[in-house]
Amino acid sequence: MEDPPPPSETSAPRPQKRTRLQAQTSENQPSKANGAGAENRERTSEASDQAGRESSPDDFEEARPVAKRNRANEGTSGSAYKATDQSLIEVIKSNGKLIPQVVKLWVEQYEKDPKPAMVELLTMLFGACGAKYYIKGDFLDETDVDDVVVALVNLARRGEVEDYQNSKKKDYKNFKDNLESFWDTLVRECQHGPLFDQVLFDKCMDYIIALSCTPPRVYRQVASLMGLQLVTSFITVAKMLGAQRETTRRQLDAEKKKRTEGPRVESLNKRFSMTHEKITVLEEMMRKIFTGLFVHRYRDIDPNIRISCIQSLGAWILSHPSLFLQDLYLKYLGWTMNDKNAGVRRASILALQNLYEVDDNVPTLGLFTERFSNRMIELADDIDVSVAVCAIGLVKQLLRHQLIPDDDLGPLYDLLIDDPPEIRHAIGALVYDHLIAQKFNTSQSGTKGDESSSSEVHLGRMLQILREFSTDPILSVYVIDDVWEYMKAMKDWKCIISMLLDENPLIELTDEDATNLVRLLCASVKKAVGERIVPATDNRKQYYPKAQKEIFESNRRDITVAMMKNYPLLLRKFMADKAKVPLLVEIVLYTNLELYSLKRQEQNFKNVLLLMKEAFFKHGEKEALRSCVRAINFCSTESQGELQDFARNKLKELEDELTAKVKAAIKEVVDGDDEYSLLVNLKRLYELQLSRAVPIESSYEDIVMVLSRFRNMEDEVVSFLLLNMYLHLAWCLHSIVNSETVSEASLSSLLSKRDTFFEQLEYFLNTLTEVEEVGKCGNQLGCRVCTILAEAWFLFRRTNYASTKLERLGYCPDKSILQKFWKLCEQQLNISDETEDEDVNKEYIEETNRDAVMIAAAKLVASDAVPKEYLGPEIISHFVMHGAGVAEIVKNLITVLKKKDDDLSNIFLEALKRAYHRHMVELSRSEVDPLTSKSFLECKDLATRLSATFLGAARNKHRSDILKIVEDGLDYAFVDAPKQLSFLEGAVLHFVSKLPTPDVLDIIKDVQKRTENVNTDEDPSGWRPYHMFVDTLREKYAKNEGFQDEKEGALVRRRGRPRKRRNIEGKRLFDGHSSSEEEDSISASDREEAQDEEKQDEDEEEDAPLIRSIRPSSKLRSLRLSREENKGQTRTGDSGRARGNLAASGTSGASS
C-alpha cells in the first residue's frame, strides 16, 4: 500500500516473448512460421481477393450446420440467415441486434472447425481496430503475435487505418456499445466449452494485450476497450460459477452428513472441483489482462483510456471483491486521484464512492483509507467543480463509516461560501447530514430516537451553525441557501413562528439566535416561492416549468395561511429591532393577499398595514425604510376590493404625514434646533420618492430656502436635500412627458425649479472644487454632487428634446461648469483606498464611491449629454489609474464610442496628452527618474491598453485612425523639442506597432527628417528618447518584419483548434524500449490544447464581470483570502504529488 506508483512503464516487466522478438530482425527468420509472419506483414487489404484462402469469411457459410438453425422460430432463423451474409465486423459496425445470433452461429462453427473460426474472429479483432488484415488459416498456429502487430503498426504508419470508435459518422455511433456487447455475448456463449479450452481466449488476449501497447492511439483505445470488457465478462461468468460452487458445497456438506462415501458424494466432489478449476482459470485470465494491459494503460497519455481503466477497475472491485478487493488493486484508485485530468480524478472518486457504499467492504478498506483519506478531503476543493462535488460525496461516505475525525473537516466548511453553487450545495448536504440531522453519529441518533428528527432540534442545530456568521448577514444567507434543499425543518413555518413567539417554554432564544432565525425565515420564504437569495453568476432570468410554478404557488398559500394570525404578533414583538424588522416586513411580498379575504382575515391584514406604517416612522435606516415602502406599495396594488382601498388610504396618509414631518423638521432647523429629525425624514422621503411620486410642491421652496440660508449643515443632510429635489424634478418631468397636453404653467414651473436646482448644485460645485484636501465627509458630499449633477444633465439633455414641443427643457452646461465638474470628479477618484475603506459599513456606500462617480461621468459622454471632446479624453486618461472597477467602466465607454463611430483618433490622442501632462507636472514637482516614475508608467500602460483596442480586423478597419494618432503624436512630441520627446516612447511607439510595414518605414523617414538640421549632441539626455524610438523601429523593421503580432499573440487567441506541429519525430518503434512508450503525432496537439486551455483561463480571468471587483464585506474578504491561500497550497501540493505519482503521464508517450 505504501509503495509509490511506478514512475514510467519502462520499469514494468513485459512478456518474455515480446522482449525477445523486439531484439530480433524480422527479415532473417528461417522458420516456416516466421516466414509466414514476414509474408503477412506485407499483406494489406488487397489480399482478400486471393482465392481458396481459409481466412476468407465466405468459407464459413457452408460449414455451418443448417439443422441447428431450426431451433429458433422463423423470424429469428431469417435474421440468422441474414447475419451470415455479413462478416463479424460488419455486424458490429452496423447492426448490433444481430450479435446474439451471429455469436451463437460462430461458436457452433468454432466447435466444429476451430481454425477458420479463429481466423474470422481475429480478422474482426483487427478490423475493430480499423485495420484490414487477414491471417491464413494454415499458418495460424505458427504465426507470431509480434510479427502481426508489427505489420498492423506499419499499416497505421501508412495511414491505412480507420477509426471507428471516434468517428462522427452516424453509421458508427453504436460501434463502441456493439463491440462491448459482442465480447460479452461471446464469453457467455462460450462458458460451457471454448472459454476453458485455453486456446481461443488465450490467443485473443495475446493479440489484445499486444495491440494495447502499440503507438497508434486507435489501436490502444480499441484494444483497451476489448480487454477491459473481457475482464468484466469473465467476472460475470465467475460469479455464476461461484454461486454454483456454493450450492454444490452446501449439497456436499448435507450429503456427507448422511454418508461419507458413495456415487452421490463422488459426483458432487467432482462437480465442486471442476467448478473451482474453472473459476481459477477465469481469475488467471483476469490477472493476465490486468498485468498485461491495465497496469500500462491506466497511465496512458490519452485521458479517455485512463478513464476507462479506472471505471472498469472500480466495477471489478465492486462486483468481484474476493479477487480485487485488496490493496494490490486499490492502490491504483488512490494514485489516480492525483491525475492531471479531471475526468480521471472523477472516475476514481466515483469508483471509491461505490465501494464505500457497501458496508462489508469497509473493514478491508481500512489501510487504504488511512493512506489516502487526506487526498480525498483535499479533492473537495479541486479546481474542477464536478470533481469537487464528487469528492464531497465521498467524504460523506467516510463520515458515515466514521473513518475520518471531525477535526479534518474544518477546511470543507469554508466552501459554504464558495463561488460555484454546485460545491456550496454539496457541502450543504454534508453539513445537514453530519451536523444537523447527525445521520453519521449512531450513538446520538440512537439515544434520542424520534426527537433527533424533530424540527425544533434541527433548527436549534442550524442556529448553532449560524452563530459563526452572525456578524455578516451575507454569509448567513449563503449558508441557508446551501442547506435549504435538504432541511425540511426550514419549511416548517409553524415551528419557526412558534420558536420566534416563545410558545415553547423549553426553547429559549437569545437575541442573536432570534435574529438568525428571522433571517432564516425570510430567506426560506423566498426560496419556497422560487426567488433567489444568493446572486447568480450569469444574472439571467429564471424560467420554471408549469409543475414547478404550481409548487411555488402552493408554498405561497401555505406561507400565507401560517402567517395570517401570527404575522401581526411577530411585527409587534420585534417592532423596535432594526435588524429584524426589515426581514419580517419583507415577507408580505411573498404571500397570497387574496387569501386574507377568502379566509375572512381582513382585520389581520389591516393590523399588518398599520404595523408597517408604524415601523416606517419608527426607523430611519435604509433597509427598514426600503422594506416598508416595498411592502406597503405591494399591499396597495396586489390586494383586492375593500382591502386595496384600505391599503391605498393608508399609503396616502403616510405621504401626508411624512410631508408634514419634513416641513416641521425644516422649521426646527430654521429655529436653531438639531438637524437629526430633518435628516431622518429626508431619508424617509427619499426612499418613498424612489418608488412613487410624492406631492411636495409646498415643501420644495422650503428645501431651497434651508439650503440657501444654512450653508454649514451636515454634508449628509445637504446630500439628501439635493437628492429629494432631484427626484421631485424627475417625477415632474415624467408627468409632463407622459401627459397628452402640456400647460404653459406646468412647463414654466418645472423650468423654474430646474434652474433653482442647478444654482444650488453649482454653488456646492464651486465650494468643493476650491478645497484642496478632501476628507471623508467631503468625499461623500462630493460624490453626491457629481452623481446628482450628472443625472440631472442626463435627464434634461438637449438631444432628448430637440425638435419637440418640449425643446425648452433641453439643457447643456457650459465649458467652465463642465471643467469644474470634472475637477470634482478627479478629487473623488484620487481619494486613497484607506479613506474609502473607512466608510465601508456606512449606508448608501454603493452610491458614493469612485465607481459611481466614473459611471455618472461616462454616462454623460455615452449619451451625448455634454460635448465629448473635453470630457471623453479626460475619462479615458484615467483608464489604468484606479483599479479594475474604473478600468471596466472606461472599457465599456470606449466600446460605445466605437459603435457610434466617433472620432476615436482625436479622443485617444487627447487622452494620452492629458496623461502625459500629468507626468510632466509630477516631474516639475519632484525629482524622479522621468522614464521610471509612476506617472510615466501609467502613461505607457494607458497607451498599451488603448492600442490593444485595434486588433485583428479592427487594425485594418481603423488604420487611418491609428496613422492619425501616430502623426499627430509626433507633432506633439516635437513641440519645443526635446522637452516632450519622451512622449514618443510613452505613447506613440505602442500605436506604431499596429501599422503595416510600409507606413512604419515612412514614419521613420519623417522622424529623421525632423532632425536634419538639429544638433542632438547639445542635449544628449533630452534627445535620448528620440534615439531610442528610432533605434527600436529600425531594429524591428530592418528586415521588413513588423512586430504588430508580438504582443497581439499574448492578448488574442486564434479561434478554432490550435495548429498541430508537423513533422514531430518520436522514438523509433523498436529500439530496445517498450513499444508503448511511443506516441503518434497527435500527442503534440494534446500539448498545444493544454496550452490553449491555460490561455483561455487567463482570458476568462481578464473578462471577469465587474461585480466581482466590488469589495465584499470585511469578513467575507478575509475568509476568501484565507481560502485562496489554502487552495493555492493544496493545488501546489497536488501538482507535486501528481508529478511524483504519475510522472509517466507526461513523459512516456503512449503509455505514460
Side-chain angles (χ1 to χ4, degrees):
M1 278 303 302
E2 297 298 330
D3 295 338
S8 68
E9 194 181 351
T10 56
S11 60
R14 299 298 307 278
Q16 185 176 359
K17 186 176 180 182
R18 294 274 297 160
T19 306
R20 173 177 58 80
L21 284 171
Q22 286 175 1
Q24 298 175 354
T25 57
S26 58
E27 288 85 358
N28 302 322
Q29 296 171 352
S31 66
K32 181 179 178 180
N34 291 339
E39 179 184 348
N40 287 331
R41 281 196 298 273
E42 302 300 327
R43 185 180 293 119
T44 55
S45 58
E46 64 266 13
S48 60
D49 297 331
Q50 297 177 4
R53 276 193 311 112
E54 291 183 0
S55 59
S56 174
D58 298 333
D59 295 342
F60 298 137
E61 293 189 22
E62 296 180 3
R64 293 191 178 97
V66 178
K68 289 189 177 180
R69 295 182 196 157
N70 296 330
R71 289 179 297 181
N73 56 34
E74 291 183 6
T76 305
S77 178
S79 297
Y81 278 117
K82 277 187 179 180
T84 59
D85 296 336
Q86 295 179 302
S87 64
L88 295 180
I89 187 61
E90 288 172 346
V91 172
I92 291 172
K93 287 192 294 185
S94 58
N95 195 348
K97 295 179 180 179
L98 298 178
I99 287 176
Q101 297 96 308
V102 168
V103 169
K104 184 176 292 187
L105 292 174
W106 183 91
V107 172
E108 293 171 359
Q109 173 60 26
Y110 178 82
E111 291 172 344
K112 183 174 182 180
D113 192 355
K115 278 192 177 182
M118 177 64 80
V119 168
E120 184 183 19
L121 183 63
L122 293 178
T123 303
M124 182 281 300
L125 193 154
F126 304 145
C129 293
K132 295 181 179 179
Y133 189 88
Y134 304 99
I135 299 175
K136 200 167 184 179
D138 294 340
F139 304 115
L140 180 62
D141 296 334
E142 296 137 353
T143 302
D144 188 74
V145 174
D146 288 307
D147 296 333
V148 175
V149 170
V150 170
L152 291 172
V153 170
N154 289 331
L155 286 178
R157 280 177 171 169
R158 295 195 295 268
E160 298 175 7
V161 172
E162 189 171 356
D163 187 356
Y164 300 120
Q165 181 173 337
N166 301 308
S167 175
K168 301 294 184 182
K169 294 181 180 178
K170 187 177 180 180
D171 296 340
Y172 304 142
K173 66 177 182 179
N174 297 321
F175 175 80
K176 181 179 177 181
D177 295 336
N178 291 345
L179 186 59
E180 290 176 332
S181 174
F182 174 85
W183 286 104
D184 185 59
T185 307
L186 181 62
V187 171
R188 293 171 185 268
E189 196 69 30
C190 295
Q191 63 180 309
H192 301 298
L195 180 59
F196 303 101
D197 65 1
Q198 295 185 339
V199 175
L200 172 60
F201 283 93
D202 281 14
K203 180 74 72 174
C204 292
M205 287 190 295
D206 287 342
Y207 280 103
I208 288 173
I209 291 172
L211 285 169
S212 72
C213 297
T214 56
R217 184 173 302 202
V218 61
Y219 288 176
R220 299 198 316 278
Q221 287 177 336
V222 177
S224 299
L225 176 70
M226 293 188 290
L228 297 173
Q229 179 58 46
L230 278 178
V231 176
T232 303
S233 301
F234 291 161
I235 289 174
T236 304
V237 176
K239 287 175 66 177
M240 290 190 296
L241 292 174
Q244 294 175 11
R245 181 176 62 181
E246 186 62 23
T247 302
T248 305
R249 186 188 61 78
R250 289 197 304 268
Q251 292 175 346
L252 185 59
D253 292 343
E255 195 66 29
K256 283 182 178 179
K257 291 179 182 179
K258 299 177 184 178
R259 60 183 68 84
T260 57
E261 293 182 0
R264 175 66 174 166
V265 173
E266 184 179 352
S267 173
L268 289 173
N269 270 324
K270 184 177 179 181
R271 187 196 306 172
F272 183 85
S273 298
M274 290 178 60
T275 307
H276 182 74
E277 288 175 3
K278 288 183 177 181
I279 294 175
T280 303
V281 170
L282 285 173
E283 290 182 347
E284 284 300 320
M285 289 195 289
M286 296 179 206
R287 291 191 186 96
K288 180 177 180 179
I289 294 178
F290 186 87
T291 56
L293 187 149
F294 179 90
V295 295
H296 306 300
R297 298 282 61 78
Y298 92 98
R299 295 176 293 135
D300 196 281
I301 196 172
D302 187 343
N304 294 319
I305 295 178
R306 302 203 301 273
I307 291 172
S308 299
C309 288
I310 298 305
Q311 288 175 338
S312 298
L313 178 60
W316 300 343
I317 300 173
L318 190 66
S319 58
H320 197 44
S322 60
L323 173 63
F324 288 104
L325 187 59
Q326 50 183 310
D327 296 338
L328 176 65
Y329 302 100
L330 289 170
K331 64 184 179 182
Y332 294 100
L333 297 180
W335 289 340
T336 50
M337 284 193 291
N338 293 297
D339 195 281
K340 63 182 179 181
N341 183 270
V344 181
R345 298 196 300 274
R346 184 171 180 271
S348 178
I349 295 169
L350 291 175
L352 290 172
Q353 264 189 292
N354 295 331
L355 293 181
Y356 281 103
E357 282 180 0
V358 181
D359 294 342
D360 294 339
N361 293 340
V362 175
T364 312
L365 290 165
L367 184 59
F368 175 85
T369 306
E370 182 181 349
R371 169 68 177 82
F372 291 104
S373 60
N374 289 336
R375 179 57 184 156
M376 299 177 196
I377 296 174
E378 289 172 356
L379 283 172
D381 196 18
D382 193 84
I383 192 171
D384 184 86
V385 174
S386 63
V387 174
V389 171
C390 293
I392 293 167
L394 178 57
V395 172
K396 284 176 61 178
Q397 293 288 353
L398 298 179
L399 284 172
R400 184 169 72 88
H401 297 294
Q402 299 182 357
L403 295 175
I404 54 175
D406 290 351
D407 296 340
D408 293 347
L409 301 179
L412 295 186
Y413 297 144
D414 290 341
L415 299 177
L416 284 168
I417 57 171
D418 206 350
D419 283 336
E422 298 88 352
I423 293 179
R424 290 194 293 103
H425 293 153
I427 292 291
L430 172 65
V431 168
Y432 174 73
D433 290 342
H434 183 52
L435 299 179
I436 298 175
Q438 295 188 356
K439 295 179 180 179
F440 308 144
N441 195 337
T442 54
S443 60
Q444 289 190 19
S445 61
T447 56
K448 291 189 177 180
D450 296 336
E451 183 185 358
S452 65
S453 60
S454 65
S455 296
E456 289 89 349
V457 174
H458 286 187
L459 288 170
R461 292 169 182 165
M462 184 66 184
L463 291 177
Q464 190 173 355
I465 296 172
L466 291 177
R467 285 177 202 148
E468 301 294 328
F469 306 93
S470 293
T471 58
D472 197 322
I474 296 176
L475 300 187
S476 298
V477 171
Y478 268 76
V479 176
I480 293 168
D481 180 69
D482 300 338
V483 183
W484 187 86
E485 182 180 349
Y486 314 100
M487 186 173 169
K488 292 182 179 180
M490 283 196 193
K491 279 82 83 176
D492 192 343
W493 318 115
K494 293 182 179 179
C495 178
I496 298 174
I497 295 170
S498 174
M499 291 176 66
L500 287 171
L501 294 175
D502 298 329
E503 294 179 354
N504 189 344
L506 300 177
I507 301 176
E508 293 184 5
L509 294 179
T510 63
D511 183 66
E512 180 184 15
D513 287 341
T515 302
N516 286 328
L517 190 56
V518 169
R519 197 172 288 147
L520 183 148
L521 173 62
C522 181
S524 184
V525 165
K526 291 180 181 179
K527 289 280 290 181
V529 298
E531 295 289 328
R532 284 180 176 147
I533 61 175
V534 172
T537 54
D538 54 7
N539 291 323
R540 287 185 296 181
K541 187 177 179 181
Q542 289 179 298
Y543 292 96
Y544 296 105
K546 183 179 179 181
Q548 189 66 45
K549 290 180 180 178
E550 291 175 354
I551 293 174
F552 291 154
E553 195 58 38
S554 175
N555 291 339
R556 194 185 298 271
R557 287 193 296 270
D558 294 341
I559 293 167
T560 307
V561 171
M563 294 289 291
M564 270 182 185
K565 296 180 180 179
N566 296 311
Y567 201 8
L569 301 178
L570 288 172
L571 290 173
R572 193 171 288 112
K573 178 178 179 179
F574 299 109
M575 175 63 68
D577 195 321
K578 64 180 181 181
K580 301 181 182 68
V581 162
L583 300 169
L584 287 173
V585 168
E586 201 172 347
I587 291 176
V588 75
L589 301 174
Y590 310 103
T591 58
N592 187 345
L593 298 182
E594 185 180 358
L595 291 179
Y596 278 94
S597 299
L598 297 176
K599 300 283 185 181
R600 301 196 174 185
Q601 296 292 324
E602 292 88 350
Q603 189 57 46
N604 281 324
F605 177 82
K606 295 177 181 179
N607 291 338
V608 168
L609 269 175
L610 292 173
L611 289 168
M612 288 178 181
K613 179 184 173 186
E614 181 183 346
F616 180 79
F617 287 109
K618 197 175 191 69
H619 295 277
E621 297 80 19
K622 170 187 170 182
E623 294 300 328
L625 295 175
R626 196 157 287 185
S627 295
C628 289
V629 170
R630 289 181 63 200
I632 295 174
N633 281 329
F634 177 80
C635 291
S636 64
T637 55
E638 298 300 322
S639 57
Q640 296 180 351
E642 181 185 350
L643 297 183
Q644 188 178 55
D645 295 337
F646 181 83
R648 289 178 176 175
N649 288 334
K650 290 302 167 186
L651 182 57
K652 183 67 172 65
E653 291 176 9
L654 183 144
E655 292 177 355
D656 296 340
E657 186 175 348
L658 179 59
T659 305
K661 284 180 177 289
V662 170
K663 296 190 77 170
I666 292 176
K667 188 174 184 302
E668 290 177 3
V669 172
V670 173
D671 294 340
D673 289 343
D674 189 65
E675 300 168 3
Y676 176 75
S677 176
L678 177 60
L679 175 61
V680 172
N681 285 294
L682 285 174
K683 285 184 178 180
R684 292 170 182 156
L685 181 60
Y686 171 67
E687 294 296 338
L688 191 59
Q689 283 202 102
L690 284 176
S691 62
R692 59 187 297 108
V694 181
I696 60 167
E697 283 79 3
S698 59
S699 301
Y700 190 84
E701 294 180 0
D702 295 337
I703 293 174
V704 174
M705 178 271 297
V706 77
L707 271 175
S708 302
R709 288 177 54 185
F710 299 92
R711 296 298 190 183
N712 296 323
M713 288 187 295
E714 290 288 335
D715 288 347
E716 193 174 10
V717 178
V718 174
S719 297
F720 278 96
L721 285 169
L722 295 173
L723 282 171
N724 281 291
M725 291 178 69
Y726 165 73
L727 288 176
H728 178 66
L729 281 177
W731 283 115
C732 290
L733 180 63
H734 178 266
S735 174
I736 290 176
V737 170
N738 291 323
S739 61
E740 295 181 359
T741 58
V742 181
S743 65
E744 182 66 26
S746 61
L747 197 59
S748 300
S749 174
L750 176 60
L751 287 171
S752 174
K753 290 178 181 179
R754 186 196 70 182
D755 294 341
T756 305
F757 178 57
F758 282 156
E759 288 174 5
Q760 296 298 326
L761 284 172
E762 288 174 12
Y763 167 80
F764 290 105
L765 186 65
N766 294 329
T767 304
L768 292 171
T769 51
E770 292 172 0
V771 180
E772 294 296 330
E773 297 294 332
V774 183
K776 289 190 297 180
C777 298
N779 170 34
Q780 186 179 12
L781 180 58
C783 285
R784 285 295 190 189
V785 171
C786 289
T787 53
I788 294 172
L789 199 55
E791 289 295 334
W793 288 345
F794 173 78
L795 197 63
F796 291 97
R797 61 192 184 277
R798 282 180 178 169
T799 55
N800 210 29
Y801 304 103
S803 304
T804 67
K805 295 179 180 179
L806 303 177
E807 191 169 1
R808 291 169 56 193
L809 292 177
Y811 179 85
C812 182
D814 57 40
K815 189 173 182 180
S816 62
I817 296 295
L818 190 58
Q819 288 174 343
K820 290 179 181 178
F821 164 78
W822 179 246
K823 183 179 178 182
L824 183 58
C825 289
E826 279 189 312
Q827 287 182 5
Q828 312 312 310
L829 293 172
N830 293 328
I831 292 174
S832 65
D833 291 335
E834 291 77 11
T835 304
E836 198 173 62
D837 281 342
E838 291 176 4
D839 291 341
V840 162
N841 293 322
K842 281 197 168 186
E843 288 184 316
Y844 303 100
I845 188 62
E846 72 280 358
E847 301 174 17
T848 56
N849 56 25
R850 61 171 62 133
D851 288 350
V853 171
M854 186 58 86
I855 289 173
K859 187 176 180 180
L860 293 175
V861 176
S863 61
D864 294 325
V866 298
K868 63 179 179 295
E869 289 77 16
Y870 169 75
L871 194 55
E874 291 286 4
I875 294 174
I876 294 174
S877 70
H878 286 260
F879 196 169
V880 296
M881 293 178 60
H882 308 293
V886 171
E888 189 69 22
I889 296 167
V890 177
K891 183 179 176 182
N892 291 331
L893 174 63
I894 293 173
T895 303
V896 171
L897 294 177
K898 271 191 172 184
K899 289 181 180 178
K900 297 171 71 172
D901 201 21
D902 284 330
D903 190 3
L904 275 182
S905 59
N906 285 332
I907 293 177
F908 279 9
L909 182 61
E910 287 300 317
L912 292 169
K913 288 180 181 179
R914 308 284 166 84
Y916 186 75
H917 176 70
R918 286 195 295 269
H919 165 62
M920 299 300 289
V921 171
E922 180 184 338
L923 287 182
S924 64
R925 291 178 179 176
S926 59
E927 295 182 2
V928 295
D929 187 350
L931 300 182
T932 60
S933 65
K934 180 183 177 183
S935 57
F936 187 71
L937 295 178
E938 286 176 348
C939 185
K940 290 179 68 174
D941 195 10
L942 174 64
T944 303
R945 297 291 291 269
L946 294 181
S947 62
T949 61
F950 300 114
L951 292 177
R955 192 175 59 204
N956 300 324
K957 177 182 177 182
H958 295 280
R959 174 181 166 275
S960 58
D961 290 334
I962 301 171
L963 195 58
K964 190 172 188 305
I965 291 173
V966 173
E967 292 173 348
D968 292 350
L970 291 175
D971 295 339
Y972 177 77
F974 278 93
V975 172
D976 197 12
K979 288 184 178 180
Q980 299 180 167
L981 286 179
S982 58
F983 188 73
L984 295 174
E985 181 184 355
V988 178
L989 185 61
H990 301 279
F991 287 89
V992 176
S993 65
K994 306 301 175 186
L995 290 172
T997 302
D999 290 340
V1000 177
L1001 296 176
D1002 293 340
I1003 290 169
I1004 294 175
K1005 294 176 183 178
D1006 179 35
V1007 172
Q1008 291 174 334
K1009 197 171 184 180
R1010 292 172 186 263
T1011 59
E1012 284 181 351
N1013 300 320
V1014 178
N1015 184 9
T1016 59
D1017 295 333
E1018 291 181 355
D1019 187 3
S1021 60
W1023 285 93
R1024 186 179 298 118
Y1026 160 75
H1027 293 298
M1028 291 177 61
F1029 179 77
V1030 174
D1031 291 344
T1032 302
L1033 294 185
R1034 283 176 176 170
E1035 180 182 348
K1036 296 294 183 181
Y1037 292 92
K1039 299 179 182 179
N1040 291 336
E1041 294 178 353
F1043 64 99
Q1044 55 261 36
D1045 292 328
E1046 288 184 3
K1047 292 182 180 178
E1048 185 175 340
L1051 295 172
V1052 176
R1053 292 186 299 109
R1054 192 177 66 84
R1055 295 182 181 273
R1057 290 179 58 83
R1059 295 187 180 91
K1060 296 180 181 178
R1061 299 179 186 175
R1062 297 180 180 176
N1063 301 325
I1064 295 181
E1065 184 176 359
K1067 298 178 183 178
R1068 295 299 175 189
L1069 183 58
F1070 300 109
D1071 55 359
H1073 293 281
S1074 168
S1075 63
S1076 61
E1077 290 185 4
E1078 258 198 69
E1079 179 53 84
D1080 48 1
S1081 60
I1082 301 176
S1083 62
S1085 65
D1086 290 340
R1087 288 189 291 271
E1088 291 188 359
E1089 287 174 5
Q1091 295 171 0
D1092 197 52
E1093 290 174 1
E1094 291 176 2
K1095 291 181 181 178
Q1096 185 175 1
D1097 293 339
E1098 293 174 1
D1099 291 343
E1100 289 173 356
E1101 290 179 3
E1102 289 182 1
D1103 297 336
L1106 176 60
I1107 190 65
R1108 295 188 181 178
S1109 65
I1110 297 176
R1111 294 201 250 331
S1113 65
S1114 58
K1115 182 166 183 178
L1116 180 59
R1117 187 163 57 226
S1118 62
L1119 278 173
R1120 281 184 177 168
L1121 182 60
S1122 63
R1123 212 181 69 71
E1124 287 172 0
E1125 290 174 356
N1126 293 334
K1127 185 180 291 187
Q1129 295 170 2
T1130 298
R1131 290 171 186 163
T1132 303
D1134 294 351
S1135 61
R1137 277 187 293 275
R1139 287 192 294 271
N1141 293 343
L1142 295 173
S1145 293
T1147 58
S1148 56
S1151 104
S1152 19

